[in-house]
Amino acid sequence: MRTQVGIIGAGPAGLLLSHLLHLRGIHSVVLERRGREYVESRVRAGVLEQGTVDTLVESGAGERLLREGLPHHGIELRFGGAGHRIAFEKLVPGRAITVYGQQEVVKDLIAARLAAGGDVRFEVTDVVPHDMDTDRPYLTFGGERLDCDFIAGCDGFHGVSRPSIPAGVLTEYEREYPFAWLGVLAAVPPSTEELIYARTGRGFALHSMRSPEISRFYLQVPVDADVEDWPDERVWAELRARLETVPGFTLATGEILEKSVTPMRSFVAEPMRYGRLLLAGDAAHIVPPTGAKGLNLAVADVRLLTAALAEWYASGSADLLDGYSAACLRRVWRAQHFSWWMTTLLHTFDGEDAYGERLQRSYLDYVTSSDAAAATLAENYVGMPY
């Protein structure tokens, strides 16, 4: 078998790359180790930047997003017994976020690829990239071989793409945080119209949503927390304690559909290219979810990679391919800093002294009273322009 671009991973990065390449007349094959039902149901991020929404709509895969997504024009920072709204419409006019689950994005992209006759293969075993440092790379999987011009590693942090790069090529930067998030999906209408980021002495909490009927919550928990230690009653009690801190706010409760614990980590691998293997999305970088940047960074990577490959096929020029890693990493490090900043601003740290807590409170007061400081938060949150 032969294709122009072999893509490892059928998450948002791999599927969107395949679809954007198709729109440029470039053939690809997507290989995914999980089944279609699994990739369409795994709950991940749900906050889409303005640029991500625009990209999906322009690609033709955004019809349901526009119909069912929930546009938000602000977020609330809740601390010290009061709520403070960061108003996007005032601070970054014309730009917003849209709440729409990652699994819904994946469903839309799979449907778009299959409708266009795309080659997306699920439950593919033993994928291995070969000869990435030559002009004849290829992939083996399940006893088969796929020759290609380029390989795109879009298979996430635990995938095979990045570990296939020889030792010593990549420089890896990493930071682990001393806490985790307990994520909760509940069949309950949201108690708020916009996301609430709450900083309390008990720890951080986030009230988000996935639809008018489904809410998403996060609680800061110890890094070694076991989901079995968090029965539903304890979850709701802790969410009420951290969110019902302003007059008149009552948290709606209901059936919990899913619970999981996610460690908090920052990671970047440089460069994002090794010969004819190009990394995109979580295969190259991950961020703590506080800033809602993971999926959005993957989309930004894919936009740049599509343009670079399209230029190579159209003219033979490798200029954009040669600049791919540096171009991606400029945005990646901006998002890394923003995600680190949001995380350290809103979470409690074991052993933190009173001085550190006062610094957090000082900056929270500043960012909610200064338009200049609030605009910096808003600009980064809705996504820096492409």
Side-chain angles (χ1 to χ4, degrees), residues 150 270-275 277-279 300-309 311-312 316-332:
F150 297 92
E270 297 186 7
M272 291 171 56
R273 178 187 181 187
Y274 172 66
L277 170 65
L278 300 112
L279 304 177
D301 290 348
V302 164
R303 285 175 59 105
L304 289 169
L305 184 50
T306 300
L309 290 169
E311 180 187 67
W312 190 87
S317 172
D319 289 348
L320 291 183
L321 281 171
D322 292 341
Y324 167 73
S325 181
C328 288
L329 288 168
R330 281 193 291 272
R331 191 180 193 92
V332 166

PDB file of all heavy atoms in Angstrom, residues 150 270-275 277-279 300-309 311-312 316-332:
ATOM      1  N   PHE A 150       5.447  11.156   3.995  1.00  0.00           N
ATOM      2  CA  PHE A 150       5.613  11.721   5.336  1.00  0.00           C
ATOM      3  C   PHE A 150       4.789  10.908   6.323  1.00  0.00           C
ATOM      4  O   PHE A 150       3.779  10.299   5.958  1.00  0.00           O
ATOM      5  CB  PHE A 150       5.150  13.187   5.388  1.00  0.00           C
ATOM      6  CG  PHE A 150       5.940  14.123   4.525  1.00  0.00           C
ATOM      7  CD1 PHE A 150       5.528  14.395   3.220  1.00  0.00           C
ATOM      8  CD2 PHE A 150       7.105  14.711   4.996  1.00  0.00           C
ATOM      9  CE1 PHE A 150       6.256  15.259   2.414  1.00  0.00           C
ATOM     10  CE2 PHE A 150       7.843  15.563   4.202  1.00  0.00           C
ATOM     11  CZ  PHE A 150       7.420  15.837   2.898  1.00  0.00           C
ATOM     12  N   GLU A 270      11.106  19.128  21.998  1.00  0.00           N
ATOM     13  CA  GLU A 270      11.649  19.920  20.896  1.00  0.00           C
ATOM     14  C   GLU A 270      12.782  19.152  20.221  1.00  0.00           C
ATOM     15  O   GLU A 270      13.593  18.540  20.915  1.00  0.00           O
ATOM     16  CB  GLU A 270      12.189  21.256  21.415  1.00  0.00           C
ATOM     17  CG  GLU A 270      11.178  22.171  22.042  1.00  0.00           C
ATOM     18  CD  GLU A 270      11.805  23.526  22.395  1.00  0.00           C
ATOM     19  OE1 GLU A 270      12.974  23.768  22.028  1.00  0.00           O
ATOM     20  OE2 GLU A 270      11.126  24.336  23.035  1.00  0.00           O
ATOM     21  N   PRO A 271      12.870  19.216  18.879  1.00  0.00           N
ATOM     22  CA  PRO A 271      11.932  19.816  17.933  1.00  0.00           C
ATOM     23  C   PRO A 271      10.742  18.882  17.701  1.00  0.00           C
ATOM     24  O   PRO A 271      10.734  17.734  18.173  1.00  0.00           O
ATOM     25  CB  PRO A 271      12.775  19.952  16.660  1.00  0.00           C
ATOM     26  CG  PRO A 271      13.737  18.808  16.739  1.00  0.00           C
ATOM     27  CD  PRO A 271      14.057  18.632  18.202  1.00  0.00           C
ATOM     28  N   MET A 272       9.762  19.338  16.959  1.00  0.00           N
ATOM     29  CA  MET A 272       8.570  18.553  16.669  1.00  0.00           C
ATOM     30  C   MET A 272       8.696  17.830  15.322  1.00  0.00           C
ATOM     31  O   MET A 272       7.694  17.394  14.763  1.00  0.00           O
ATOM     32  CB  MET A 272       7.332  19.456  16.688  1.00  0.00           C
ATOM     33  CG  MET A 272       6.996  19.965  18.083  1.00  0.00           C
ATOM     34  SD  MET A 272       5.699  21.225  18.145  1.00  0.00           S
ATOM     35  CE  MET A 272       4.337  20.420  17.322  1.00  0.00           C
ATOM     36  N   ARG A 273       9.932  17.709  14.837  1.00  0.00           N
ATOM     37  CA  ARG A 273      10.165  17.017  13.575  1.00  0.00           C
ATOM     38  C   ARG A 273      11.453  16.216  13.651  1.00  0.00           C
ATOM     39  O   ARG A 273      12.443  16.673  14.221  1.00  0.00           O
ATOM     40  CB  ARG A 273      10.255  18.022  12.427  1.00  0.00           C
ATOM     41  CG  ARG A 273      10.557  17.380  11.079  1.00  0.00           C
ATOM     42  CD  ARG A 273      10.815  18.406   9.998  1.00  0.00           C
ATOM     43  NE  ARG A 273      11.088  17.767   8.709  1.00  0.00           N
ATOM     44  CZ  ARG A 273      11.470  18.418   7.623  1.00  0.00           C
ATOM     45  NH1 ARG A 273      11.607  19.736   7.645  1.00  0.00           N
ATOM     46  NH2 ARG A 273      11.705  17.755   6.501  1.00  0.00           N
ATOM     47  N   TYR A 274      11.406  15.025  13.079  1.00  0.00           N
ATOM     48  CA  TYR A 274      12.604  14.215  12.883  1.00  0.00           C
ATOM     49  C   TYR A 274      12.526  13.656  11.462  1.00  0.00           C
ATOM     50  O   TYR A 274      11.761  12.719  11.193  1.00  0.00           O
ATOM     51  CB  TYR A 274      12.693  13.090  13.903  1.00  0.00           C
ATOM     52  CG  TYR A 274      13.814  12.116  13.622  1.00  0.00           C
ATOM     53  CD1 TYR A 274      15.149  12.513  13.706  1.00  0.00           C
ATOM     54  CD2 TYR A 274      13.534  10.793  13.253  1.00  0.00           C
ATOM     55  CE1 TYR A 274      16.181  11.618  13.429  1.00  0.00           C
ATOM     56  CE2 TYR A 274      14.558   9.896  12.988  1.00  0.00           C
ATOM     57  CZ  TYR A 274      15.888  10.315  13.068  1.00  0.00           C
ATOM     58  OH  TYR A 274      16.903   9.440  12.791  1.00  0.00           O
ATOM     59  N   GLY A 275      13.285  14.232  10.564  1.00  0.00           N
ATOM     60  CA  GLY A 275      13.251  13.797   9.173  1.00  0.00           C
ATOM     61  C   GLY A 275      11.867  13.949   8.582  1.00  0.00           C
ATOM     62  O   GLY A 275      11.302  15.041   8.522  1.00  0.00           O
ATOM     63  N   LEU A 277       9.195  12.459   9.853  1.00  0.00           N
ATOM     64  CA  LEU A 277       8.201  12.282  10.917  1.00  0.00           C
ATOM     65  C   LEU A 277       7.940  13.637  11.565  1.00  0.00           C
ATOM     66  O   LEU A 277       8.866  14.293  12.052  1.00  0.00           O
ATOM     67  CB  LEU A 277       8.698  11.298  11.968  1.00  0.00           C
ATOM     68  CG  LEU A 277       7.863  11.194  13.259  1.00  0.00           C
ATOM     69  CD1 LEU A 277       6.470  10.644  12.967  1.00  0.00           C
ATOM     70  CD2 LEU A 277       8.568  10.324  14.297  1.00  0.00           C
ATOM     71  N   LEU A 278       6.666  14.045  11.576  1.00  0.00           N
ATOM     72  CA  LEU A 278       6.286  15.325  12.173  1.00  0.00           C
ATOM     73  C   LEU A 278       5.266  15.077  13.271  1.00  0.00           C
ATOM     74  O   LEU A 278       4.254  14.394  13.055  1.00  0.00           O
ATOM     75  CB  LEU A 278       5.717  16.260  11.104  1.00  0.00           C
ATOM     76  CG  LEU A 278       6.720  16.568   9.980  1.00  0.00           C
ATOM     77  CD1 LEU A 278       6.252  15.942   8.674  1.00  0.00           C
ATOM     78  CD2 LEU A 278       6.938  18.058   9.814  1.00  0.00           C
ATOM     79  N   LEU A 279       5.542  15.597  14.451  1.00  0.00           N
ATOM     80  CA  LEU A 279       4.657  15.423  15.597  1.00  0.00           C
ATOM     81  C   LEU A 279       3.634  16.555  15.654  1.00  0.00           C
ATOM     82  O   LEU A 279       3.931  17.696  15.282  1.00  0.00           O
ATOM     83  CB  LEU A 279       5.464  15.403  16.894  1.00  0.00           C
ATOM     84  CG  LEU A 279       6.584  14.371  17.001  1.00  0.00           C
ATOM     85  CD1 LEU A 279       7.319  14.542  18.336  1.00  0.00           C
ATOM     86  CD2 LEU A 279       6.038  12.955  16.869  1.00  0.00           C
ATOM     87  N   ALA A 300      -3.988  24.095  16.144  1.00  0.00           N
ATOM     88  CA  ALA A 300      -3.011  25.062  15.631  1.00  0.00           C
ATOM     89  C   ALA A 300      -1.844  24.347  14.944  1.00  0.00           C
ATOM     90  O   ALA A 300      -1.392  24.764  13.868  1.00  0.00           O
ATOM     91  CB  ALA A 300      -2.498  25.937  16.775  1.00  0.00           C
ATOM     92  N   ASP A 301      -1.349  23.263  15.552  1.00  0.00           N
ATOM     93  CA  ASP A 301      -0.278  22.480  14.927  1.00  0.00           C
ATOM     94  C   ASP A 301      -0.712  21.983  13.547  1.00  0.00           C
ATOM     95  O   ASP A 301       0.038  22.064  12.563  1.00  0.00           O
ATOM     96  CB  ASP A 301       0.070  21.253  15.785  1.00  0.00           C
ATOM     97  CG  ASP A 301       0.761  21.595  17.094  1.00  0.00           C
ATOM     98  OD1 ASP A 301       1.190  22.754  17.263  1.00  0.00           O
ATOM     99  OD2 ASP A 301       0.862  20.700  17.944  1.00  0.00           O
ATOM    100  N   VAL A 302      -1.907  21.436  13.483  1.00  0.00           N
ATOM    101  CA  VAL A 302      -2.391  20.819  12.251  1.00  0.00           C
ATOM    102  C   VAL A 302      -2.563  21.848  11.143  1.00  0.00           C
ATOM    103  O   VAL A 302      -2.308  21.567   9.962  1.00  0.00           O
ATOM    104  CB  VAL A 302      -3.707  20.063  12.542  1.00  0.00           C
ATOM    105  CG1 VAL A 302      -4.452  19.734  11.269  1.00  0.00           C
ATOM    106  CG2 VAL A 302      -3.409  18.791  13.331  1.00  0.00           C
ATOM    107  N   ARG A 303      -3.006  23.035  11.501  1.00  0.00           N
ATOM    108  CA  ARG A 303      -3.108  24.101  10.491  1.00  0.00           C
ATOM    109  C   ARG A 303      -1.739  24.374   9.856  1.00  0.00           C
ATOM    110  O   ARG A 303      -1.611  24.493   8.638  1.00  0.00           O
ATOM    111  CB  ARG A 303      -3.644  25.376  11.135  1.00  0.00           C
ATOM    112  CG  ARG A 303      -5.133  25.377  11.437  1.00  0.00           C
ATOM    113  CD  ARG A 303      -5.520  26.640  12.175  1.00  0.00           C
ATOM    114  NE  ARG A 303      -5.202  27.836  11.405  1.00  0.00           N
ATOM    115  CZ  ARG A 303      -6.098  28.580  10.761  1.00  0.00           C
ATOM    116  NH1 ARG A 303      -7.375  28.247  10.789  1.00  0.00           N
ATOM    117  NH2 ARG A 303      -5.728  29.657  10.095  1.00  0.00           N
ATOM    118  N   LEU A 304      -0.724  24.493  10.697  1.00  0.00           N
ATOM    119  CA  LEU A 304       0.619  24.762  10.186  1.00  0.00           C
ATOM    120  C   LEU A 304       1.163  23.590   9.387  1.00  0.00           C
ATOM    121  O   LEU A 304       1.802  23.775   8.339  1.00  0.00           O
ATOM    122  CB  LEU A 304       1.552  25.085  11.354  1.00  0.00           C
ATOM    123  CG  LEU A 304       1.337  26.434  12.041  1.00  0.00           C
ATOM    124  CD1 LEU A 304       2.136  26.503  13.333  1.00  0.00           C
ATOM    125  CD2 LEU A 304       1.720  27.580  11.123  1.00  0.00           C
ATOM    126  N   LEU A 305       0.913  22.371   9.857  1.00  0.00           N
ATOM    127  CA  LEU A 305       1.408  21.200   9.154  1.00  0.00           C
ATOM    128  C   LEU A 305       0.729  21.041   7.798  1.00  0.00           C
ATOM    129  O   LEU A 305       1.373  20.688   6.804  1.00  0.00           O
ATOM    130  CB  LEU A 305       1.195  19.953  10.008  1.00  0.00           C
ATOM    131  CG  LEU A 305       1.749  18.634   9.457  1.00  0.00           C
ATOM    132  CD1 LEU A 305       3.204  18.768   9.030  1.00  0.00           C
ATOM    133  CD2 LEU A 305       1.582  17.517  10.484  1.00  0.00           C
ATOM    134  N   THR A 306      -0.557  21.321   7.747  1.00  0.00           N
ATOM    135  CA  THR A 306      -1.270  21.253   6.467  1.00  0.00           C
ATOM    136  C   THR A 306      -0.679  22.234   5.466  1.00  0.00           C
ATOM    137  O   THR A 306      -0.424  21.887   4.299  1.00  0.00           O
ATOM    138  CB  THR A 306      -2.762  21.552   6.668  1.00  0.00           C
ATOM    139  OG1 THR A 306      -3.333  20.589   7.558  1.00  0.00           O
ATOM    140  CG2 THR A 306      -3.515  21.517   5.350  1.00  0.00           C
ATOM    141  N   ALA A 307      -0.447  23.460   5.907  1.00  0.00           N
ATOM    142  CA  ALA A 307       0.120  24.464   5.005  1.00  0.00           C
ATOM    143  C   ALA A 307       1.505  24.059   4.529  1.00  0.00           C
ATOM    144  O   ALA A 307       1.852  24.245   3.349  1.00  0.00           O
ATOM    145  CB  ALA A 307       0.169  25.818   5.717  1.00  0.00           C
ATOM    146  N   ALA A 308       2.312  23.481   5.431  1.00  0.00           N
ATOM    147  CA  ALA A 308       3.672  23.086   5.069  1.00  0.00           C
ATOM    148  C   ALA A 308       3.667  21.951   4.055  1.00  0.00           C
ATOM    149  O   ALA A 308       4.416  21.970   3.063  1.00  0.00           O
ATOM    150  CB  ALA A 308       4.439  22.680   6.323  1.00  0.00           C
ATOM    151  N   LEU A 309       2.823  20.949   4.279  1.00  0.00           N
ATOM    152  CA  LEU A 309       2.752  19.826   3.344  1.00  0.00           C
ATOM    153  C   LEU A 309       2.165  20.260   2.001  1.00  0.00           C
ATOM    154  O   LEU A 309       2.623  19.813   0.938  1.00  0.00           O
ATOM    155  CB  LEU A 309       1.918  18.695   3.954  1.00  0.00           C
ATOM    156  CG  LEU A 309       2.559  17.971   5.136  1.00  0.00           C
ATOM    157  CD1 LEU A 309       1.553  17.062   5.827  1.00  0.00           C
ATOM    158  CD2 LEU A 309       3.781  17.170   4.700  1.00  0.00           C
ATOM    159  N   GLU A 311       2.422  23.185   0.613  1.00  0.00           N
ATOM    160  CA  GLU A 311       3.456  23.917  -0.122  1.00  0.00           C
ATOM    161  C   GLU A 311       4.454  22.938  -0.742  1.00  0.00           C
ATOM    162  O   GLU A 311       4.874  23.110  -1.898  1.00  0.00           O
ATOM    163  CB  GLU A 311       4.185  24.883   0.801  1.00  0.00           C
ATOM    164  CG  GLU A 311       5.281  25.677   0.091  1.00  0.00           C
ATOM    165  CD  GLU A 311       6.115  26.521   1.047  1.00  0.00           C
ATOM    166  OE1 GLU A 311       6.848  25.933   1.869  1.00  0.00           O
ATOM    167  OE2 GLU A 311       6.025  27.759   0.951  1.00  0.00           O
ATOM    168  N   TRP A 312       4.836  21.913  -0.008  1.00  0.00           N
ATOM    169  CA  TRP A 312       5.810  20.940  -0.529  1.00  0.00           C
ATOM    170  C   TRP A 312       5.260  20.211  -1.744  1.00  0.00           C
ATOM    171  O   TRP A 312       5.958  20.044  -2.755  1.00  0.00           O
ATOM    172  CB  TRP A 312       6.162  19.948   0.579  1.00  0.00           C
ATOM    173  CG  TRP A 312       7.314  19.046   0.239  1.00  0.00           C
ATOM    174  CD1 TRP A 312       8.641  19.289   0.427  1.00  0.00           C
ATOM    175  CD2 TRP A 312       7.227  17.735  -0.344  1.00  0.00           C
ATOM    176  NE1 TRP A 312       9.393  18.219  -0.008  1.00  0.00           N
ATOM    177  CE2 TRP A 312       8.561  17.252  -0.491  1.00  0.00           C
ATOM    178  CE3 TRP A 312       6.165  16.938  -0.755  1.00  0.00           C
ATOM    179  CZ2 TRP A 312       8.834  15.995  -1.018  1.00  0.00           C
ATOM    180  CZ3 TRP A 312       6.436  15.686  -1.292  1.00  0.00           C
ATOM    181  CH2 TRP A 312       7.760  15.225  -1.418  1.00  0.00           C
ATOM    182  N   GLY A 316       7.344  21.905  -4.249  1.00  0.00           N
ATOM    183  CA  GLY A 316       8.595  21.262  -3.884  1.00  0.00           C
ATOM    184  C   GLY A 316       9.390  22.027  -2.844  1.00  0.00           C
ATOM    185  O   GLY A 316      10.449  21.575  -2.404  1.00  0.00           O
ATOM    186  N   SER A 317       8.873  23.188  -2.415  1.00  0.00           N
ATOM    187  CA  SER A 317       9.576  23.993  -1.419  1.00  0.00           C
ATOM    188  C   SER A 317       9.422  23.372  -0.030  1.00  0.00           C
ATOM    189  O   SER A 317       8.311  23.013   0.389  1.00  0.00           O
ATOM    190  CB  SER A 317       9.027  25.419  -1.397  1.00  0.00           C
ATOM    191  OG  SER A 317       9.568  26.143  -0.308  1.00  0.00           O
ATOM    192  N   ALA A 318      10.514  23.282   0.696  1.00  0.00           N
ATOM    193  CA  ALA A 318      10.499  22.742   2.055  1.00  0.00           C
ATOM    194  C   ALA A 318      10.593  23.840   3.110  1.00  0.00           C
ATOM    195  O   ALA A 318      10.821  23.547   4.289  1.00  0.00           O
ATOM    196  CB  ALA A 318      11.643  21.756   2.236  1.00  0.00           C
ATOM    197  N   ASP A 319      10.416  25.089   2.698  1.00  0.00           N
ATOM    198  CA  ASP A 319      10.588  26.199   3.646  1.00  0.00           C
ATOM    199  C   ASP A 319       9.646  26.078   4.844  1.00  0.00           C
ATOM    200  O   ASP A 319      10.071  26.224   6.003  1.00  0.00           O
ATOM    201  CB  ASP A 319      10.361  27.533   2.938  1.00  0.00           C
ATOM    202  CG  ASP A 319      11.481  27.881   1.961  1.00  0.00           C
ATOM    203  OD1 ASP A 319      12.525  27.197   2.006  1.00  0.00           O
ATOM    204  OD2 ASP A 319      11.304  28.819   1.168  1.00  0.00           O
ATOM    205  N   LEU A 320       8.357  25.837   4.591  1.00  0.00           N
ATOM    206  CA  LEU A 320       7.407  25.750   5.701  1.00  0.00           C
ATOM    207  C   LEU A 320       7.628  24.484   6.526  1.00  0.00           C
ATOM    208  O   LEU A 320       7.456  24.500   7.746  1.00  0.00           O
ATOM    209  CB  LEU A 320       5.970  25.802   5.186  1.00  0.00           C
ATOM    210  CG  LEU A 320       5.514  27.141   4.594  1.00  0.00           C
ATOM    211  CD1 LEU A 320       4.040  27.073   4.183  1.00  0.00           C
ATOM    212  CD2 LEU A 320       5.723  28.277   5.596  1.00  0.00           C
ATOM    213  N   LEU A 321       8.009  23.404   5.875  1.00  0.00           N
ATOM    214  CA  LEU A 321       8.331  22.194   6.629  1.00  0.00           C
ATOM    215  C   LEU A 321       9.538  22.422   7.533  1.00  0.00           C
ATOM    216  O   LEU A 321       9.541  21.996   8.700  1.00  0.00           O
ATOM    217  CB  LEU A 321       8.618  21.035   5.678  1.00  0.00           C
ATOM    218  CG  LEU A 321       7.396  20.339   5.066  1.00  0.00           C
ATOM    219  CD1 LEU A 321       7.842  19.366   3.980  1.00  0.00           C
ATOM    220  CD2 LEU A 321       6.588  19.607   6.129  1.00  0.00           C
ATOM    221  N   ASP A 322      10.541  23.104   7.021  1.00  0.00           N
ATOM    222  CA  ASP A 322      11.733  23.379   7.822  1.00  0.00           C
ATOM    223  C   ASP A 322      11.416  24.304   8.997  1.00  0.00           C
ATOM    224  O   ASP A 322      12.075  24.235  10.041  1.00  0.00           O
ATOM    225  CB  ASP A 322      12.826  23.999   6.952  1.00  0.00           C
ATOM    226  CG  ASP A 322      13.387  23.010   5.931  1.00  0.00           C
ATOM    227  OD1 ASP A 322      13.198  21.789   6.123  1.00  0.00           O
ATOM    228  OD2 ASP A 322      13.992  23.463   4.937  1.00  0.00           O
ATOM    229  N   GLY A 323      10.413  25.159   8.830  1.00  0.00           N
ATOM    230  CA  GLY A 323      10.052  26.087   9.903  1.00  0.00           C
ATOM    231  C   GLY A 323       8.900  25.614  10.756  1.00  0.00           C
ATOM    232  O   GLY A 323       8.471  26.332  11.673  1.00  0.00           O
ATOM    233  N   TYR A 324       8.392  24.391  10.476  1.00  0.00           N
ATOM    234  CA  TYR A 324       7.197  23.896  11.169  1.00  0.00           C
ATOM    235  C   TYR A 324       7.377  23.854  12.683  1.00  0.00           C
ATOM    236  O   TYR A 324       6.555  24.380  13.442  1.00  0.00           O
ATOM    237  CB  TYR A 324       6.834  22.506  10.639  1.00  0.00           C
ATOM    238  CG  TYR A 324       5.819  21.774  11.485  1.00  0.00           C
ATOM    239  CD1 TYR A 324       4.487  22.152  11.486  1.00  0.00           C
ATOM    240  CD2 TYR A 324       6.203  20.693  12.297  1.00  0.00           C
ATOM    241  CE1 TYR A 324       3.552  21.483  12.263  1.00  0.00           C
ATOM    242  CE2 TYR A 324       5.273  20.022  13.070  1.00  0.00           C
ATOM    243  CZ  TYR A 324       3.951  20.415  13.060  1.00  0.00           C
ATOM    244  OH  TYR A 324       3.033  19.767  13.831  1.00  0.00           O
ATOM    245  N   SER A 325       8.436  23.248  13.146  1.00  0.00           N
ATOM    246  CA  SER A 325       8.623  23.077  14.584  1.00  0.00           C
ATOM    247  C   SER A 325       8.713  24.418  15.299  1.00  0.00           C
ATOM    248  O   SER A 325       8.036  24.652  16.304  1.00  0.00           O
ATOM    249  CB  SER A 325       9.876  22.246  14.863  1.00  0.00           C
ATOM    250  OG  SER A 325      10.058  22.054  16.246  1.00  0.00           O
ATOM    251  N   ALA A 326       9.532  25.315  14.775  1.00  0.00           N
ATOM    252  CA  ALA A 326       9.708  26.618  15.426  1.00  0.00           C
ATOM    253  C   ALA A 326       8.403  27.399  15.442  1.00  0.00           C
ATOM    254  O   ALA A 326       8.075  28.059  16.445  1.00  0.00           O
ATOM    255  CB  ALA A 326      10.796  27.412  14.707  1.00  0.00           C
ATOM    256  N   ALA A 327       7.646  27.328  14.337  1.00  0.00           N
ATOM    257  CA  ALA A 327       6.381  28.061  14.279  1.00  0.00           C
ATOM    258  C   ALA A 327       5.394  27.512  15.305  1.00  0.00           C
ATOM    259  O   ALA A 327       4.710  28.283  16.001  1.00  0.00           O
ATOM    260  CB  ALA A 327       5.794  27.970  12.870  1.00  0.00           C
ATOM    261  N   CYS A 328       5.301  26.199  15.414  1.00  0.00           N
ATOM    262  CA  CYS A 328       4.401  25.600  16.398  1.00  0.00           C
ATOM    263  C   CYS A 328       4.822  25.954  17.823  1.00  0.00           C
ATOM    264  O   CYS A 328       3.986  26.309  18.670  1.00  0.00           O
ATOM    265  CB  CYS A 328       4.385  24.082  16.256  1.00  0.00           C
ATOM    266  SG  CYS A 328       3.532  23.456  14.803  1.00  0.00           S
ATOM    267  N   LEU A 329       6.111  25.859  18.090  1.00  0.00           N
ATOM    268  CA  LEU A 329       6.592  26.016  19.456  1.00  0.00           C
ATOM    269  C   LEU A 329       6.418  27.430  19.992  1.00  0.00           C
ATOM    270  O   LEU A 329       6.297  27.624  21.208  1.00  0.00           O
ATOM    271  CB  LEU A 329       8.048  25.576  19.548  1.00  0.00           C
ATOM    272  CG  LEU A 329       8.251  24.062  19.449  1.00  0.00           C
ATOM    273  CD1 LEU A 329       9.719  23.722  19.254  1.00  0.00           C
ATOM    274  CD2 LEU A 329       7.707  23.355  20.696  1.00  0.00           C
ATOM    275  N   ARG A 330       6.374  28.415  19.126  1.00  0.00           N
ATOM    276  CA  ARG A 330       6.095  29.778  19.613  1.00  0.00           C
ATOM    277  C   ARG A 330       4.726  29.827  20.282  1.00  0.00           C
ATOM    278  O   ARG A 330       4.573  30.419  21.361  1.00  0.00           O
ATOM    279  CB  ARG A 330       6.177  30.780  18.458  1.00  0.00           C
ATOM    280  CG  ARG A 330       7.593  31.166  18.064  1.00  0.00           C
ATOM    281  CD  ARG A 330       7.605  32.368  17.150  1.00  0.00           C
ATOM    282  NE  ARG A 330       7.053  32.077  15.836  1.00  0.00           N
ATOM    283  CZ  ARG A 330       7.763  31.602  14.817  1.00  0.00           C
ATOM    284  NH1 ARG A 330       9.058  31.359  14.978  1.00  0.00           N
ATOM    285  NH2 ARG A 330       7.198  31.374  13.648  1.00  0.00           N
ATOM    286  N   ARG A 331       3.744  29.213  19.663  1.00  0.00           N
ATOM    287  CA  ARG A 331       2.407  29.190  20.247  1.00  0.00           C
ATOM    288  C   ARG A 331       2.349  28.229  21.435  1.00  0.00           C
ATOM    289  O   ARG A 331       1.682  28.507  22.436  1.00  0.00           O
ATOM    290  CB  ARG A 331       1.395  28.778  19.177  1.00  0.00           C
ATOM    291  CG  ARG A 331      -0.063  28.968  19.588  1.00  0.00           C
ATOM    292  CD  ARG A 331      -0.998  28.539  18.476  1.00  0.00           C
ATOM    293  NE  ARG A 331      -2.359  28.991  18.734  1.00  0.00           N
ATOM    294  CZ  ARG A 331      -2.860  30.134  18.298  1.00  0.00           C
ATOM    295  NH1 ARG A 331      -2.113  30.940  17.558  1.00  0.00           N
ATOM    296  NH2 ARG A 331      -4.101  30.483  18.573  1.00  0.00           N
ATOM    297  N   VAL A 332       3.033  27.104  21.310  1.00  0.00           N
ATOM    298  CA  VAL A 332       3.036  26.113  22.385  1.00  0.00           C
ATOM    299  C   VAL A 332       3.557  26.712  23.686  1.00  0.00           C
ATOM    300  O   VAL A 332       2.947  26.560  24.756  1.00  0.00           O
ATOM    301  CB  VAL A 332       3.883  24.885  21.981  1.00  0.00           C
ATOM    302  CG1 VAL A 332       4.177  24.003  23.200  1.00  0.00           C
ATOM    303  CG2 VAL A 332       3.171  24.073  20.901  1.00  0.00           C
TER     304      VAL A 332
END
